[in-house]
Amino acid sequence: MMLQINWDNPIIKEDEIMAIQPSDLDSFYMSGDSYTKTNIFFVLLASYHHYSDMGKSDCTAHLSFLMAYYLFIALTPPGSQQLAKQYIQQAVLLYPTDEYRRWQDLIEKGN
């Protein structure tokens, strides 16, 4: 899936969220400039809060997973492991899939 962001309305559509995979974030990161590489995280975060407020636990969990992945693998800012750990724990709490649990174990080991 080619990730498209509407910067004027940075909430990702609900029907697109579950289709986003880590490889989509990798592609977005590789093709973006420093502005878009950083701001995609904030689009994910804004979408996370939007769907969390609506009580959409599956969307919120997947966005938590995507944020954890993006922080831990692509961005790696200072404190990336600690930040990613919080988001992946939230994903597992909301919607405990095997994939989220595997990533939780990986993130716990550190980068």
Side-chain angles (χ1 to χ4, degrees):
M1 170 180 164
M2 181 59 167
L3 191 56
Q4 300 286 325
I5 303 299
N6 177 352
W7 298 109
D8 294 326
N9 182 18
I11 304 301
I12 302 168
K13 293 178 185 175
E14 183 176 357
D15 61 337
E16 295 175 3
I17 290 170
M18 298 307 282
I20 301 171
Q21 297 301 311
S23 59
D24 300 317
L25 294 176
D26 293 340
S27 295
F28 192 87
Y29 184 84
M30 296 301 289
S31 65
D33 59 24
S34 61
Y35 173 80
T36 58
K37 288 178 182 183
T38 302
N39 281 330
I40 186 61
F41 176 78
F42 293 102
V43 169
L44 294 169
L45 184 61
S47 298
Y48 166 87
H49 285 288
H50 175 79
Y51 292 108
S52 177
D53 289 348
M54 293 176 67
K56 304 276 186 170
S57 60
D58 57 339
C59 289
T60 304
H62 196 65
L63 287 160
S64 294
F65 161 66
L66 294 171
M67 288 187 297
Y69 175 88
Y70 198 67
L71 284 166
F72 191 70
I73 299 297
L75 280 182
T76 62
S80 63
Q81 181 187 6
Q82 292 78 13
L83 293 167
K85 185 177 172 182
Q86 292 300 312
Y87 287 113
I88 198 64
Q89 286 174 345
Q90 186 67 20
V92 170
L93 179 68
L94 289 169
Y95 205 79
T97 68
D98 290 340
E99 180 180 27
Y100 299 165
R101 287 187 181 117
R102 281 191 303 275
W103 274 99
Q104 185 176 28
D105 291 342
L106 181 68
I107 291 169
E108 294 277 341
K109 292 178 184 174
N111 49 0

